[in-house]
Amino acid sequence: MSRKVLDKNFCIIPWTGFELEPNGNVKNCIISKDIIGNIHKNNIEDILSNNPVRKEMLEGKYPSNCDGCYLQEKHRVTNFDSISSRLYYAKELANKIPKNLFDSKDNFVLKHVDLRWSNSCNQACTYCSPEYSSKWASELGVKIPKDKAKTSKLKKYVYENINNLENVYLAGGEPLLMKENKEFLDLLYKANPNCTIRVNTNLSKTQTGVMDSICKFKDVHWIVSMESIEREYEYIRHHGSWKDFLVNLEYIKSLDHKITFNMLYFILNYHSIFKTVEYLQNLGYHNNSFVIGPLFKPFSLSVLNLPNNKLEKAKRELQSHIDAKPGFLLQNSYENIQQYLTETQFHANIQLTKDTLKNMDLRRNVDSRKVFPKIYNEE
């Protein structure tokens, strides 16, 4: 293993993988701030060969593109004591790549893909957007550009390198509903059945061909996207059913695959998220099953829009859960949220939050006042 992997500024992904977004944008990973290209305008080979991050990292710099991971690791005691994507890929791929790969900024070997073929999704989560949800796009009358010919070229590139893949991340949209994933997974299984498969899903539909293809693999990690329960769940995840979610969660639990809950902490669940964690703990999920982070966008739904008295109360509640020392990823998550609450410069605007919810309520024929009275209660 190259010693460069141990450097705190260094990430394996710019040399080994990429993330494809539904609109054709290409990034290093979902955490990256900057777009490095778009498959509708350039070939994927050209995009990956001209990635400026590699040069910066070899020069010992901390690229601003990667601030998300650096921020998550900022207060960690040791280099590898973090839930950042940078460290995840270091652990997963460090021993599966050529030792001389990092000798040059011009080197690249495809080992990882994060594929979001389209925005196809059967939910319209409050914090999402047309780019990642076809339900949102339909609701707002927005069309997301898609070039089938360019997508086919990308597929050709991935399929030509499929034997090299060691780690795959499928998201969306909703990956269990994308027919492209079945074609890809079936080819991948023939090439490398030992490849690690991670699926970020809302878990609303499990009876799909994609699900069957996933379950052929030995190493499957379900990243279940949710952030509340019952009535709050169905408001936040518009078109979602809490009852169906529980049935499908029980099903994937029976498969004996790894399960992680991917949660956002924001103005609609800043209090109830702890109840949600407790609910899942009572179902038998370990404190290492929770990855929770603050919601940064849209700004209107940030918890930092709370009036100062409520925000201070939220900070105290969070601190009490940190003081309980839950350990594992749950502890790491709470500390990252605390860092966001204490270090982020933000101009609070609770009226913007209320206006956003009002407009959403009118379009969807729902009532946020009944589901989230704390937002509207002045006390």
Side-chain angles (χ1 to χ4, degrees):
M1 181 181 75
S2 170
R3 292 198 60 81
K4 287 187 176 68
V5 175
L6 302 177
D7 293 343
K8 290 189 176 184
N9 77 308
F10 202 82
C11 180
I12 286 176
I13 285 300
W15 276 264
T16 60
F18 67 92
E19 181 232 349
L20 172 70
E21 302 209 320
N23 62 2
N25 284 340
V26 176
K27 296 166 60 179
N28 286 305
C29 71
I30 190 60
I31 304 298
S32 300
K33 293 198 304 184
D34 301 331
I35 296 162
I36 59 174
N38 187 294
I39 63 167
H40 299 166
K41 299 176 182 178
N42 299 102
N43 292 329
I44 186 65
E45 295 93 335
D46 294 335
I47 294 171
L48 297 177
S49 67
N50 293 303
N51 188 348
V53 169
R54 293 197 290 267
K55 182 175 183 292
E56 291 185 70
M57 287 184 174
L58 287 178
E59 292 173 347
K61 298 176 182 177
Y62 287 74
S64 61
N65 194 4
C66 305
D67 281 348
C69 283
Y70 299 146
L71 183 64
Q72 285 183 324
E73 299 168 21
K74 184 176 179 181
H75 296 298
R76 302 273 64 83
V77 176
T78 61
N79 194 18
F80 279 76
D81 178 26
S82 175
I83 57 176
S84 75
S85 290
R86 185 184 81 87
L87 296 179
Y88 167 82
Y89 290 117
K91 296 170 188 175
E92 284 291 312
L93 297 175
N95 294 316
K96 299 176 182 178
I97 53 180
K99 290 186 178 180
N100 64 346
L101 184 64
F102 308 127
D103 289 352
S104 169
K105 66 177 179 61
D106 298 319
N107 291 344
F108 185 88
V109 176
L110 189 67
K111 292 291 182 180
H112 163 79
V113 289
D114 176 343
L115 298 172
R116 301 152 195 253
W117 300 107
S118 73
N119 67 341
S120 295
C121 189
N122 56 344
Q123 294 184 352
C125 299
T126 54
Y127 50 77
C128 199
S129 65
E131 288 78 10
Y132 298 100
S133 165
S134 54
K135 284 290 187 182
W136 256 106
S138 176
E139 184 177 311
L140 296 182
V142 173
K143 279 194 172 184
I144 301 302
K146 189 167 179 66
D147 188 323
K148 290 184 179 180
K150 298 292 186 180
T151 302
S152 293
K153 284 188 176 182
L154 176 90
K155 279 186 181 181
K156 183 175 183 292
Y157 171 77
V158 172
Y159 293 173
E160 285 175 349
N161 291 278
I162 205 164
N163 290 326
N164 293 327
L165 291 179
E166 300 285 355
N167 187 285
V168 164
Y169 189 62
L170 300 177
E174 171 47 47
L176 295 183
L177 300 180
M178 295 180 194
K179 62 182 184 301
E180 295 93 341
N181 281 334
K182 178 168 176 53
E183 176 188 30
F184 167 64
L185 289 165
D186 289 345
L187 288 172
L188 178 61
Y189 184 74
K190 292 177 183 177
N192 183 9
N194 295 316
C195 185
T196 298
I197 308 296
R198 294 185 300 149
V199 188
N200 191 326
T201 173
N202 61 33
L203 211 58
S204 57
K205 300 285 184 183
T206 56
Q207 302 304 311
T208 69
V210 178
M211 180 76 177
D212 296 337
S213 297
I214 290 169
C215 289
K216 293 177 184 177
F217 289 85
K218 300 174 184 177
D219 188 0
V220 178
H221 180 180
W222 295 97
I223 301 172
V224 180
S225 185
M226 58 91 73
E227 49 285 303
S228 198
I229 63 175
E230 299 169 341
R231 276 204 316 167
E232 286 192 11
Y233 172 93
E234 294 187 347
Y235 182 96
I236 293 171
R237 299 195 152 264
H238 190 53
H239 301 296
S241 162
W242 174 244
K243 180 180 177 181
D244 290 348
F245 173 81
L246 287 180
V247 170
N248 293 332
L249 179 61
E250 187 61 29
Y251 173 65
I252 64 165
K253 188 177 182 182
S254 72
L255 300 174
D256 200 28
H257 293 162
K258 182 178 180 179
I259 298 174
T260 298
F261 296 96
N262 182 35
M263 300 176 168
L264 288 170
Y265 174 92
F266 62 118
I267 201 164
L268 296 185
N269 71 340
Y270 70 92
H271 174 67
S272 62
I273 196 166
F274 304 110
K275 179 182 177 182
T276 302
V277 169
E278 183 181 4
Y279 181 95
L280 294 168
Q281 287 171 328
N282 289 336
L283 291 181
Y285 291 97
H286 189 271
N287 287 354
N288 221 26
S289 301
F290 301 97
V291 175
I292 312 170
L295 179 135
F296 295 97
K297 292 183 180 180
F299 298 117
S300 61
L301 296 181
S302 169
V303 69
L304 295 176
N305 283 302
L306 284 172
N308 192 58
N309 63 322
K310 289 186 178 182
L311 184 58
E312 290 304 313
K313 187 174 181 181
K315 289 179 180 178
R316 290 194 296 272
E317 182 175 25
L318 175 63
Q319 185 63 56
S320 70
H321 286 276
I322 293 173
D323 291 343
K325 299 188 183 305
F328 304 97
L329 294 181
L330 185 57
Q331 178 95 18
N332 196 170
S333 295
Y334 288 160
E335 290 171 352
N336 284 341
I337 295 170
Q338 184 185 53
Q339 181 180 333
Y340 170 76
L341 294 181
T342 56
E343 297 184 11
T344 304
Q345 298 294 317
F346 194 89
H347 179 67
N349 188 346
I350 190 63
Q351 190 57 49
L352 177 62
T353 300
K354 292 177 180 178
D355 290 344
T356 297
L357 295 176
K358 179 181 178 181
N359 291 334
M360 203 177 297
D361 288 354
L362 289 172
R363 289 198 310 269
R364 299 178 175 185
N365 193 29
V366 292
D367 190 348
S368 58
R369 289 178 174 273
K370 291 182 179 179
V371 185
F372 305 100
K374 284 181 177 291
I375 301 297
Y376 298 94
N377 188 337
E378 298 300 325
E379 295 181 3

